Amino acid sequence: MLRHYYIADDLNELVLVEKELEEEGFTEPQIHVLSLDNVSISEYKLNNVEPVFKQNVLQGLGLGAVIGGFIALITLIVPYFSGWHTAAIGWEIFILIALCSFIFCTGEGGFLGFKKPNSRFARFQALLKKGKHILFVDVDPVQEHNFRMIMKTHPRVKSAGCGAAVPHWVVSCQDALHHVSKRVF
């Protein structure tokens, strides 16, 4: 899949684009709008980017987990080679320290990531502050032609390049979850 980015001023235009894409077989998990005006995005019933994905939380959690895992490993290796684990204190305290280190570092990484915009969207921050809206669509290769034809009919929505998209299986899982939630709720 390939992610296409577009810049727009008018949310009405994005509503039309989203409707045409859905009529052509694109699903909700493939289409997102990134904006600082979350209220208007909700009013227009556009598929907004979840707040956790607007920030670098997931990358921060991953980095924190790697650092925490390294510290936890050291916390377990040092007592082993020093022979401290054979003392009356045993392994329990070292395992507890390793676990606490891992959890703390993972949480701290997520917190630090929350302070930064998502690296995939960093290039759009100046445009977002000017009130622009970013449409991005994850397109399968078989959908590429139809996607381009639809976007040609919307000249006020300007192309802003392409990038890596989420894997196809993630979109499929989101589709399945969306269908289940519609039936249940």
Side-chain angles (χ1 to χ4, degrees):
M1 294 186 93
L2 188 62
R3 178 169 286 176
H4 294 269
Y5 295 97
Y6 286 84
I7 302 166
D9 293 321
D10 184 15
L11 289 176
N12 289 317
E13 187 77 19
L14 291 181
V15 169
L16 292 173
V17 170
E18 186 173 300
K19 182 180 176 201
E20 289 176 24
L21 288 171
E22 287 175 350
E23 287 172 355
E24 198 59 45
F26 287 81
T27 60
E28 190 175 305
Q30 288 180 273
I31 308 164
H32 292 86
V33 177
L34 177 66
S35 177
L36 297 180
D37 187 3
N38 293 329
V39 174
S40 294
I41 297 294
S42 296
E43 288 173 2
Y44 282 86
K45 296 186 177 13
L46 291 165
N47 191 17
N48 195 7
V49 177
E50 295 297 325
V52 72
F53 296 118
K54 289 181 180 180
Q55 308 306 120
N56 243 1
V57 175
L58 297 178
Q59 263 187 327
L61 284 170
L63 181 60
V66 168
I67 293 170
F70 180 71
I71 291 172
L73 187 63
I74 290 173
T75 304
L76 295 173
I77 289 174
V78 169
Y80 178 77
F81 285 113
S82 299
W84 297 341
H85 68 289
T86 59
I89 199 169
W91 272 112
E92 293 81 13
I93 192 68
F94 298 112
I95 292 172
L96 181 63
I97 291 170
L99 185 61
C100 289
S101 298
F102 177 76
I103 292 170
F104 174 78
C105 290
T106 303
E108 189 65 21
F111 179 71
L112 292 174
F114 184 73
K115 293 181 178 182
K116 294 181 180 180
N118 189 320
S119 56
R120 288 186 178 195
F121 307 137
R123 63 183 167 151
F124 300 117
Q125 290 305 309
L127 292 168
L128 292 170
K129 289 178 183 173
K130 291 179 183 177
K132 307 278 186 194
H133 312 285
I134 310 300
L135 168 74
F136 61 92
V137 184
D138 295 334
V139 182
D140 272 329
V142 295
Q143 297 173 313
E144 194 72 40
H145 175 73
N146 293 343
F147 174 74
R148 291 190 188 281
M149 297 308 289
I150 290 170
M151 294 314 294
K152 281 182 182 179
T153 64
H154 297 278
R156 295 189 304 162
V157 181
K158 305 288 183 205
S159 178
C162 296
V166 297
H168 180 73
W169 64 268
V170 172
V171 173
S172 297
C173 290
Q174 289 174 329
D175 282 336
L177 183 63
H178 184 69
H179 289 295
V180 168
S181 66
K182 273 189 171 181
R183 290 182 184 180
V184 172
F185 301 108

